[in-house]
Amino acid sequence: MLPLRMMVPVLTTGALLAAAPAAMATRYAAPGGTNGDPCTFAQPCSITTAITGATALDKEVRLFGGHYPALPATVQTAVGASDIGAEPGTGRPVIHLGGGTQLRVIGGSRIADVDIVADLPVGDALFMADGGVIAERIRVSGPAASGVRLGASGTPSTLRDSLVLNSSPNSSSTGVSMECNGCTSTARVSNVTVITKSGPALKAIADPNGASSATMHVVNTIALATGGGVPDVEASAPAMMGNDKAIVNLTNSAYGDVLASAPREEVNDLGGHVTAAPLFVSAAAGDYRQAPGSPTIDAGVPSLFEGPMPTDLFGSPRTLGIAPDIGADETPAAPVVTTGAATGVGTTAASIAGDVTPNGASTAWRVEYGTTTAYGTTASGAPATGAGFVGEAVALPLSGLAPGTSYHYRVAAGHAYGSGFGQDATFTTAGEPAPGGGGTVGGGSTPAPAPGVTPLPAPVVTPKPRPLPPLAKGCVSLRDFTIRLKQGVKANAVTVTVDGKRAKVVRGKRISARVDLRGKAKKIVVVKVVVAPAKGQRTTTERRYRTCAKKAAGRNEVRL
């Protein structure tokens, strides 16, 4: 199975799990599902039954996470405009294909957030037939004649934000292909990483009948054929007929050798061509995320083939740096850091606060301090922050400071893809009592005013308003909060409050709390969960919820 990058912060708030669906609205499948209906949330069926039994009234098919038994035969969507995807909060579905089978998604349909694995050689692992199909955030692997075959007629089909690995040993195999037989066809490939063992990574084919035209538009894509002597990109119109045409247009993509013979075969570089080899985290282990320093990072352009709020293969925002990356994944940007106030300043100690936004990778943070802006001393915060895109409040006590001394300080953070630094700030430790009394030396206290001099009033500092916690999607009237602790971590106290009012916390194998929001329809409430471990820092998460009049259920998970 391909490695899945888990971009979960140390402290996360999970998405709502869907409540049981209304009749004839959504069909559900699970790895151990039955071979017959009803395919409900409570009684899911097999993936074959769920997909092939869909009608015009229930085109949405949701797959619970886990490994599905290998399909014994080809599975095809029964109606146009079917929507196949993962059920939120249950893990990633992995659809296994038996020898010679395929998953066939026909015109106007969509498939998203699944893995497709060919356990034995197959023809087309995923066939996006008849045009107008969208496949996004999918991973296809195993030996196949073509990992993904794009539709041959009608509205252009689109493959985006996906990873295709074809391990077939045959030189005639392809990673992503499109083929037109007696038609005019267009396909679109955006932000995809395509790796093949023996055949071309990308190939457009015009079948030899004299009336075929196949055009593949490619943006922000890595195309890499690892077999010796094999082109990365190929356009093929094999018959000597002047009207057949095969074209591949590439924009801001990474590829090497191409194969095309004018005038019926074209591979066109439309700009932004990256010729240097991409760097991957571990190609040997099948981890084709971009490694730090890869020439594909920030080398893409905004793609017209993406959705309104594009995300990468792992659900991260599509642009984290100065530009989109080339390939399926978006590498994290450098952390964003804000230096906060120094509090509890004493003779030899102070506490430093700040805010760190990791931006997609597990991030370590620290406080740098010293008597000049060169700092010179570092104290590391523990534990490291998570990997999210929301600012996390951090604080660290400093000790062993010199009395009566002015210090410069800042909060800094970093991960493998970059570092971020907060602004410089200062504080002054309290001084030792001066000989004979009469005040202090240094900045801990204010000296007494000279006789006859009226002291100026202390400046009034208006604290910045605290930012509101994020607003959760959807609405709820009942919500379960589950607090999960890492192995070996013990919690001294767990509190859950709603608008400042404490909710009951139940301790057992899992620590949980149920928040009852009934009777507060269409109101915004703030739910706060605080976990105080026996060792380490207290962890707090807050989120605002919009309440509903209807009965709803959800689950929120706090990980420590």
Side-chain angles (χ1 to χ4, degrees):
M1 177 180 175
L2 303 178
L4 174 61
R5 177 172 65 178
M6 298 301 294
M7 304 185 67
V8 181
V10 171
L11 179 62
T12 61
T13 310
L16 288 174
L17 288 181
M24 299 303 290
T26 303
R27 294 171 68 81
Y28 291 87
T34 63
N35 289 325
D37 284 330
C39 296
T40 61
F41 185 90
Q43 294 180 286
C45 56
S46 69
I47 189 171
T48 299
T49 302
I51 293 176
T52 60
T55 70
L57 295 177
D58 51 7
K59 296 179 181 179
E60 187 176 80
V61 178
R62 290 293 170 259
L63 310 178
F64 285 95
H67 288 259
Y68 286 76
L71 300 181
T74 293
V75 172
Q76 175 177 305
T77 54
V79 295
S82 291
D83 186 7
I84 303 170
E87 171 61 12
T90 65
R92 193 171 178 93
V94 182
I95 303 172
H96 290 268
L97 304 178
T101 65
Q102 70 176 204
L103 182 60
R104 185 183 180 99
V105 183
I106 66 174
S109 296
R110 171 182 175 268
I111 183 169
D113 302 303
V114 303
D115 289 357
I116 301 171
V117 179
D119 297 321
L120 297 171
V122 299
D124 307 313
L126 173 63
F127 185 16
M128 301 162 60
D130 303 329
V133 176
I134 293 176
E136 55 188 337
R137 297 183 302 277
I138 65 169
R139 297 185 296 193
V140 180
S141 62
S146 184
V148 177
R149 180 179 170 189
L150 294 162
S153 63
T155 305
S157 291
T158 303
L159 173 67
R160 60 197 186 200
D161 306 302
S162 297
L163 173 66
V164 180
L165 304 176
N166 192 345
S167 59
S168 172
N170 297 324
S171 60
S172 60
S173 63
T174 58
V176 176
S177 68
M178 63 170 300
E179 186 172 356
C180 189
N181 188 350
C183 61
T184 298
S185 177
T186 302
R188 307 182 297 197
V189 178
S190 177
N191 285 101
V192 177
T193 298
V194 189
I195 311 294
T196 58
K197 179 179 180 180
S198 302
L202 299 174
K203 187 173 184 178
I205 307 168
D207 279 351
N209 64 2
S212 299
S213 177
T215 302
M216 181 186 294
H217 297 290
V218 182
V219 181
N220 298 346
T221 291
I222 296 173
L224 180 60
T226 61
V230 178
D232 294 326
V233 184
E234 181 178 352
S236 175
M240 298 300 294
M241 297 183 181
N243 292 330
D244 287 338
K245 195 81 170 180
I247 303 171
V248 182
N249 295 320
L250 298 113
T251 303
N252 289 76
S253 293
Y255 58 96
D257 295 338
V258 303
L259 178 61
S261 298
R264 295 175 299 103
E265 301 170 347
E266 298 179 12
V267 175
N268 300 315
D269 171 22
L270 302 185
H273 181 195
V274 174
T275 58
L279 302 180
F280 301 112
V281 172
S282 178
D287 189 344
Y288 284 95
R289 289 176 292 143
Q290 299 162 99
S294 176
T296 52
I297 295 174
D298 292 340
V301 292
S303 172
L304 297 177
F305 306 147
E306 294 288 318
M309 297 182 66
T311 61
D312 75 350
L313 175 63
F314 304 99
S316 297
R318 177 34 78 183
T319 302
L320 292 178
I322 61 175
D325 290 353
I326 295 175
D329 68 295
E330 188 73 17
T331 55
V336 175
V337 183
T338 300
T339 300
T343 60
V345 180
T347 304
T348 61
S351 181
I352 306 301
D355 188 271
V356 176
T357 302
N359 278 336
S362 182
T363 301
W365 67 275
R366 63 192 182 275
V367 173
E368 300 175 349
Y369 63 100
T371 55
T372 69
T373 53
Y375 307 111
T377 305
T378 297
S380 298
T385 64
F389 302 95
V390 178
E392 300 180 27
V394 297
L396 185 68
L398 304 180
S399 59
L401 304 175
T405 304
S406 293
Y407 283 91
H408 289 263
Y409 71 94
R410 69 180 180 184
V411 178
H415 51 54
Y417 297 90
S419 299
F421 301 91
Q423 70 277 22
D424 178 77
T426 61
F427 67 88
T428 303
T429 54
E432 297 290 344
T440 61
V441 178
S445 302
T446 303
V453 177
T454 303
L456 295 175
V460 177
V461 179
T462 303
K464 293 182 179 180
R466 183 181 178 184
L468 292 174
L471 179 64
K473 295 181 179 179
C475 60
V476 289
S477 61
L478 287 175
R479 190 168 186 85
D480 289 328
F481 289 82
T482 302
I483 293 86
R484 294 182 181 271
L485 304 179
K486 291 180 180 179
Q487 187 175 4
V489 174
K490 296 182 179 180
N492 283 344
V494 177
T495 59
V496 177
T497 58
V498 181
D499 285 349
K501 184 178 180 180
R502 293 185 64 166
K504 182 178 180 181
V505 175
V506 179
R507 287 175 173 266
K509 291 184 178 180
R510 295 180 180 176
I511 304 172
S512 63
R514 167 158 288 197
V515 175
D516 188 349
L517 304 176
R518 289 175 294 189
K520 300 180 180 180
K522 299 181 180 178
K523 177 187 175 183
I524 300 295
V525 296
V526 176
V527 178
K528 179 178 181 181
V529 180
V530 180
V531 179
K535 295 182 180 180
Q537 293 182 323
R538 185 176 66 175
T539 306
T540 302
T541 185
E542 286 184 280
R543 180 159 289 190
R544 292 179 296 148
Y545 293 92
R546 180 180 291 106
T547 60
C548 308
K550 63 181 181 180
K551 181 178 180 181
R555 182 177 301 164
N556 219 339
E557 212 172 78
V558 177
R559 295 180 181 269
L560 182 66

mmCIF file with all atom_site columns, all heavy atoms in Angstrom, residues 277-294:
data_model
loop_
_atom_site.group_PDB
_atom_site.id
_atom_site.type_symbol
_atom_site.label_atom_id
_atom_site.label_alt_id
_atom_site.label_comp_id
_atom_site.label_asym_id
_atom_site.label_entity_id
_atom_site.label_seq_id
_atom_site.pdbx_PDB_ins_code
_atom_site.Cartn_x
_atom_site.Cartn_y
_atom_site.Cartn_z
_atom_site.occupancy
_atom_site.B_iso_or_equiv
_atom_site.pdbx_formal_charge
_atom_site.auth_seq_id
_atom_site.auth_comp_id
_atom_site.auth_asym_id
_atom_site.auth_atom_id
_atom_site.pdbx_PDB_model_num
ATOM 1   N N   . ALA A 1 277 ? 15.648 16.837 -12.490 1.00 0.00 ? 277 ALA A N   1
ATOM 2   C CA  . ALA A 1 277 ? 14.926 15.700 -11.929 1.00 0.00 ? 277 ALA A CA  1
ATOM 3   C C   . ALA A 1 277 ? 14.244 16.080 -10.613 1.00 0.00 ? 277 ALA A C   1
ATOM 4   O O   . ALA A 1 277 ? 14.871 16.704 -9.743  1.00 0.00 ? 277 ALA A O   1
ATOM 5   C CB  . ALA A 1 277 ? 15.877 14.534 -11.698 1.00 0.00 ? 277 ALA A CB  1
ATOM 6   N N   . PRO A 1 278 ? 12.969 15.725 -10.447 1.00 0.00 ? 278 PRO A N   1
ATOM 7   C CA  . PRO A 1 278 ? 12.292 15.979 -9.160  1.00 0.00 ? 278 PRO A CA  1
ATOM 8   C C   . PRO A 1 278 ? 12.972 15.197 -8.039  1.00 0.00 ? 278 PRO A C   1
ATOM 9   O O   . PRO A 1 278 ? 13.551 14.124 -8.262  1.00 0.00 ? 278 PRO A O   1
ATOM 10  C CB  . PRO A 1 278 ? 10.866 15.474 -9.402  1.00 0.00 ? 278 PRO A CB  1
ATOM 11  C CG  . PRO A 1 278 ? 10.719 15.386 -10.882 1.00 0.00 ? 278 PRO A CG  1
ATOM 12  C CD  . PRO A 1 278 ? 12.079 15.086 -11.424 1.00 0.00 ? 278 PRO A CD  1
ATOM 13  N N   . LEU A 1 279 ? 12.891 15.719 -6.833  1.00 0.00 ? 279 LEU A N   1
ATOM 14  C CA  . LEU A 1 279 ? 13.405 15.025 -5.652  1.00 0.00 ? 279 LEU A CA  1
ATOM 15  C C   . LEU A 1 279 ? 12.221 14.521 -4.842  1.00 0.00 ? 279 LEU A C   1
ATOM 16  O O   . LEU A 1 279 ? 11.290 15.272 -4.567  1.00 0.00 ? 279 LEU A O   1
ATOM 17  C CB  . LEU A 1 279 ? 14.260 15.978 -4.805  1.00 0.00 ? 279 LEU A CB  1
ATOM 18  C CG  . LEU A 1 279 ? 15.467 16.612 -5.495  1.00 0.00 ? 279 LEU A CG  1
ATOM 19  C CD1 . LEU A 1 279 ? 16.198 17.535 -4.528  1.00 0.00 ? 279 LEU A CD1 1
ATOM 20  C CD2 . LEU A 1 279 ? 16.409 15.548 -6.046  1.00 0.00 ? 279 LEU A CD2 1
ATOM 21  N N   . PHE A 1 280 ? 12.275 13.247 -4.446  1.00 0.00 ? 280 PHE A N   1
ATOM 22  C CA  . PHE A 1 280 ? 11.189 12.641 -3.695  1.00 0.00 ? 280 PHE A CA  1
ATOM 23  C C   . PHE A 1 280 ? 11.669 12.225 -2.308  1.00 0.00 ? 280 PHE A C   1
ATOM 24  O O   . PHE A 1 280 ? 12.862 11.978 -2.091  1.00 0.00 ? 280 PHE A O   1
ATOM 25  C CB  . PHE A 1 280 ? 10.627 11.427 -4.432  1.00 0.00 ? 280 PHE A CB  1
ATOM 26  C CG  . PHE A 1 280 ? 10.089 11.737 -5.805  1.00 0.00 ? 280 PHE A CG  1
ATOM 27  C CD1 . PHE A 1 280 ? 10.718 11.256 -6.932  1.00 0.00 ? 280 PHE A CD1 1
ATOM 28  C CD2 . PHE A 1 280 ? 8.967  12.535 -5.952  1.00 0.00 ? 280 PHE A CD2 1
ATOM 29  C CE1 . PHE A 1 280 ? 10.233 11.542 -8.195  1.00 0.00 ? 280 PHE A CE1 1
ATOM 30  C CE2 . PHE A 1 280 ? 8.471  12.837 -7.208  1.00 0.00 ? 280 PHE A CE2 1
ATOM 31  C CZ  . PHE A 1 280 ? 9.104  12.345 -8.339  1.00 0.00 ? 280 PHE A CZ  1
ATOM 32  N N   . VAL A 1 281 ? 10.709 12.138 -1.380  1.00 0.00 ? 281 VAL A N   1
ATOM 33  C CA  . VAL A 1 281 ? 11.050 11.757 -0.009  1.00 0.00 ? 281 VAL A CA  1
ATOM 34  C C   . VAL A 1 281 ? 11.705 10.385 0.010   1.00 0.00 ? 281 VAL A C   1
ATOM 35  O O   . VAL A 1 281 ? 12.764 10.181 0.617   1.00 0.00 ? 281 VAL A O   1
ATOM 36  C CB  . VAL A 1 281 ? 9.797  11.791 0.881   1.00 0.00 ? 281 VAL A CB  1
ATOM 37  C CG1 . VAL A 1 281 ? 10.106 11.205 2.262   1.00 0.00 ? 281 VAL A CG1 1
ATOM 38  C CG2 . VAL A 1 281 ? 9.292  13.217 1.024   1.00 0.00 ? 281 VAL A CG2 1
ATOM 39  N N   . SER A 1 282 ? 11.100 9.394  -0.647  1.00 0.00 ? 282 SER A N   1
ATOM 40  C CA  . SER A 1 282 ? 11.689 8.053  -0.726  1.00 0.00 ? 282 SER A CA  1
ATOM 41  C C   . SER A 1 282 ? 11.028 7.285  -1.865  1.00 0.00 ? 282 SER A C   1
ATOM 42  O O   . SER A 1 282 ? 10.022 6.595  -1.662  1.00 0.00 ? 282 SER A O   1
ATOM 43  C CB  . SER A 1 282 ? 11.521 7.282  0.594   1.00 0.00 ? 282 SER A CB  1
ATOM 44  O OG  . SER A 1 282 ? 12.053 5.972  0.482   1.00 0.00 ? 282 SER A OG  1
ATOM 45  N N   . ALA A 1 283 ? 11.582 7.403  -3.057  1.00 0.00 ? 283 ALA A N   1
ATOM 46  C CA  . ALA A 1 283 ? 11.020 6.685  -4.199  1.00 0.00 ? 283 ALA A CA  1
ATOM 47  C C   . ALA A 1 283 ? 11.101 5.179  -3.980  1.00 0.00 ? 283 ALA A C   1
ATOM 48  O O   . ALA A 1 283 ? 10.196 4.429  -4.368  1.00 0.00 ? 283 ALA A O   1
ATOM 49  C CB  . ALA A 1 283 ? 11.763 7.079  -5.479  1.00 0.00 ? 283 ALA A CB  1
ATOM 50  N N   . ALA A 1 284 ? 12.159 4.731  -3.332  1.00 0.00 ? 284 ALA A N   1
ATOM 51  C CA  . ALA A 1 284 ? 12.316 3.289  -3.097  1.00 0.00 ? 284 ALA A CA  1
ATOM 52  C C   . ALA A 1 284 ? 11.191 2.736  -2.243  1.00 0.00 ? 284 ALA A C   1
ATOM 53  O O   . ALA A 1 284 ? 10.776 1.585  -2.397  1.00 0.00 ? 284 ALA A O   1
ATOM 54  C CB  . ALA A 1 284 ? 13.661 3.015  -2.440  1.00 0.00 ? 284 ALA A CB  1
ATOM 55  N N   . ALA A 1 285 ? 10.683 3.544  -1.320  1.00 0.00 ? 285 ALA A N   1
ATOM 56  C CA  . ALA A 1 285 ? 9.593  3.113  -0.446  1.00 0.00 ? 285 ALA A CA  1
ATOM 57  C C   . ALA A 1 285 ? 8.225  3.516  -0.996  1.00 0.00 ? 285 ALA A C   1
ATOM 58  O O   . ALA A 1 285 ? 7.212  3.331  -0.320  1.00 0.00 ? 285 ALA A O   1
ATOM 59  C CB  . ALA A 1 285 ? 9.784  3.700  0.949   1.00 0.00 ? 285 ALA A CB  1
ATOM 60  N N   . GLY A 1 286 ? 8.180  4.072  -2.208  1.00 0.00 ? 286 GLY A N   1
ATOM 61  C CA  . GLY A 1 286 ? 6.905  4.475  -2.795  1.00 0.00 ? 286 GLY A CA  1
ATOM 62  C C   . GLY A 1 286 ? 6.368  5.784  -2.266  1.00 0.00 ? 286 GLY A C   1
ATOM 63  O O   . GLY A 1 286 ? 5.196  6.095  -2.461  1.00 0.00 ? 286 GLY A O   1
ATOM 64  N N   . ASP A 1 287 ? 7.217  6.576  -1.616  1.00 0.00 ? 287 ASP A N   1
ATOM 65  C CA  . ASP A 1 287 ? 6.781  7.867  -1.088  1.00 0.00 ? 287 ASP A CA  1
ATOM 66  C C   . ASP A 1 287 ? 7.234  8.950  -2.070  1.00 0.00 ? 287 ASP A C   1
ATOM 67  O O   . ASP A 1 287 ? 8.378  9.389  -2.050  1.00 0.00 ? 287 ASP A O   1
ATOM 68  C CB  . ASP A 1 287 ? 7.378  8.107  0.298   1.00 0.00 ? 287 ASP A CB  1
ATOM 69  C CG  . ASP A 1 287 ? 6.790  9.337  0.981   1.00 0.00 ? 287 ASP A CG  1
ATOM 70  O OD1 . ASP A 1 287 ? 6.162  10.156 0.283   1.00 0.00 ? 287 ASP A OD1 1
ATOM 71  O OD2 . ASP A 1 287 ? 6.952  9.469  2.212   1.00 0.00 ? 287 ASP A OD2 1
ATOM 72  N N   . TYR A 1 288 ? 6.309  9.361  -2.930  1.00 0.00 ? 288 TYR A N   1
ATOM 73  C CA  . TYR A 1 288 ? 6.639  10.311 -3.987  1.00 0.00 ? 288 TYR A CA  1
ATOM 74  C C   . TYR A 1 288 ? 6.230  11.735 -3.641  1.00 0.00 ? 288 TYR A C   1
ATOM 75  O O   . TYR A 1 288 ? 5.957  12.538 -4.530  1.00 0.00 ? 288 TYR A O   1
ATOM 76  C CB  . TYR A 1 288 ? 6.010  9.860  -5.304  1.00 0.00 ? 288 TYR A CB  1
ATOM 77  C CG  . TYR A 1 288 ? 6.760  8.709  -5.919  1.00 0.00 ? 288 TYR A CG  1
ATOM 78  C CD1 . TYR A 1 288 ? 6.352  7.395  -5.690  1.00 0.00 ? 288 TYR A CD1 1
ATOM 79  C CD2 . TYR A 1 288 ? 7.894  8.922  -6.692  1.00 0.00 ? 288 TYR A CD2 1
ATOM 80  C CE1 . TYR A 1 288 ? 7.046  6.329  -6.248  1.00 0.00 ? 288 TYR A CE1 1
ATOM 81  C CE2 . TYR A 1 288 ? 8.601  7.859  -7.239  1.00 0.00 ? 288 TYR A CE2 1
ATOM 82  C CZ  . TYR A 1 288 ? 8.168  6.566  -7.013  1.00 0.00 ? 288 TYR A CZ  1
ATOM 83  O OH  . TYR A 1 288 ? 8.859  5.517  -7.553  1.00 0.00 ? 288 TYR A OH  1
ATOM 84  N N   . ARG A 1 289 ? 6.188  12.055 -2.347  1.00 0.00 ? 289 ARG A N   1
ATOM 85  C CA  . ARG A 1 289 ? 6.076  13.463 -1.966  1.00 0.00 ? 289 ARG A CA  1
ATOM 86  C C   . ARG A 1 289 ? 7.384  14.170 -2.318  1.00 0.00 ? 289 ARG A C   1
ATOM 87  O O   . ARG A 1 289 ? 8.462  13.576 -2.269  1.00 0.00 ? 289 ARG A O   1
ATOM 88  C CB  . ARG A 1 289 ? 5.805  13.597 -0.472  1.00 0.00 ? 289 ARG A CB  1
ATOM 89  C CG  . ARG A 1 289 ? 4.417  13.155 -0.044  1.00 0.00 ? 289 ARG A CG  1
ATOM 90  C CD  . ARG A 1 289 ? 4.288  13.233 1.461   1.00 0.00 ? 289 ARG A CD  1
ATOM 91  N NE  . ARG A 1 289 ? 5.127  12.262 2.138   1.00 0.00 ? 289 ARG A NE  1
ATOM 92  C CZ  . ARG A 1 289 ? 5.769  12.481 3.274   1.00 0.00 ? 289 ARG A CZ  1
ATOM 93  N NH1 . ARG A 1 289 ? 5.682  13.666 3.847   1.00 0.00 ? 289 ARG A NH1 1
ATOM 94  N NH2 . ARG A 1 289 ? 6.480  11.538 3.849   1.00 0.00 ? 289 ARG A NH2 1
ATOM 95  N N   . GLN A 1 290 ? 7.279  15.450 -2.642  1.00 0.00 ? 290 GLN A N   1
ATOM 96  C CA  . GLN A 1 290 ? 8.478  16.204 -2.984  1.00 0.00 ? 290 GLN A CA  1
ATOM 97  C C   . GLN A 1 290 ? 9.348  16.409 -1.749  1.00 0.00 ? 290 GLN A C   1
ATOM 98  O O   . GLN A 1 290 ? 8.852  16.751 -0.672  1.00 0.00 ? 290 GLN A O   1
ATOM 99  C CB  . GLN A 1 290 ? 8.080  17.561 -3.561  1.00 0.00 ? 290 GLN A CB  1
ATOM 100 C CG  . GLN A 1 290 ? 7.262  17.443 -4.838  1.00 0.00 ? 290 GLN A CG  1
ATOM 101 C CD  . GLN A 1 290 ? 6.516  18.720 -5.145  1.00 0.00 ? 290 GLN A CD  1
ATOM 102 O OE1 . GLN A 1 290 ? 6.956  19.510 -5.957  1.00 0.00 ? 290 GLN A OE1 1
ATOM 103 N NE2 . GLN A 1 290 ? 5.395  18.934 -4.479  1.00 0.00 ? 290 GLN A NE2 1
ATOM 104 N N   . ALA A 1 291 ? 10.635 16.192 -1.930  1.00 0.00 ? 291 ALA A N   1
ATOM 105 C CA  . ALA A 1 291 ? 11.585 16.388 -0.839  1.00 0.00 ? 291 ALA A CA  1
ATOM 106 C C   . ALA A 1 291 ? 12.050 17.842 -0.838  1.00 0.00 ? 291 ALA A C   1
ATOM 107 O O   . ALA A 1 291 ? 11.975 18.537 -1.860  1.00 0.00 ? 291 ALA A O   1
ATOM 108 C CB  . ALA A 1 291 ? 12.771 15.448 -1.000  1.00 0.00 ? 291 ALA A CB  1
ATOM 109 N N   . PRO A 1 292 ? 12.537 18.331 0.308   1.00 0.00 ? 292 PRO A N   1
ATOM 110 C CA  . PRO A 1 292 ? 13.076 19.695 0.341   1.00 0.00 ? 292 PRO A CA  1
ATOM 111 C C   . PRO A 1 292 ? 14.137 19.892 -0.742  1.00 0.00 ? 292 PRO A C   1
ATOM 112 O O   . PRO A 1 292 ? 14.989 19.044 -0.959  1.00 0.00 ? 292 PRO A O   1
ATOM 113 C CB  . PRO A 1 292 ? 13.677 19.786 1.750   1.00 0.00 ? 292 PRO A CB  1
ATOM 114 C CG  . PRO A 1 292 ? 12.886 18.820 2.558   1.00 0.00 ? 292 PRO A CG  1
ATOM 115 C CD  . PRO A 1 292 ? 12.580 17.678 1.632   1.00 0.00 ? 292 PRO A CD  1
ATOM 116 N N   . GLY A 1 293 ? 14.050 21.029 -1.425  1.00 0.00 ? 293 GLY A N   1
ATOM 117 C CA  . GLY A 1 293 ? 15.004 21.326 -2.490  1.00 0.00 ? 293 GLY A CA  1
ATOM 118 C C   . GLY A 1 293 ? 14.601 20.842 -3.860  1.00 0.00 ? 293 GLY A C   1
ATOM 119 O O   . GLY A 1 293 ? 15.316 21.091 -4.842  1.00 0.00 ? 293 GLY A O   1
ATOM 120 N N   . SER A 1 294 ? 13.458 20.163 -3.990  1.00 0.00 ? 294 SER A N   1
ATOM 121 C CA  . SER A 1 294 ? 13.030 19.686 -5.301  1.00 0.00 ? 294 SER A CA  1
ATOM 122 C C   . SER A 1 294 ? 12.749 20.877 -6.221  1.00 0.00 ? 294 SER A C   1
ATOM 123 O O   . SER A 1 294 ? 12.128 21.867 -5.808  1.00 0.00 ? 294 SER A O   1
ATOM 124 C CB  . SER A 1 294 ? 11.776 18.823 -5.177  1.00 0.00 ? 294 SER A CB  1
ATOM 125 O OG  . SER A 1 294 ? 11.313 18.441 -6.471  1.00 0.00 ? 294 SER A OG  1
#
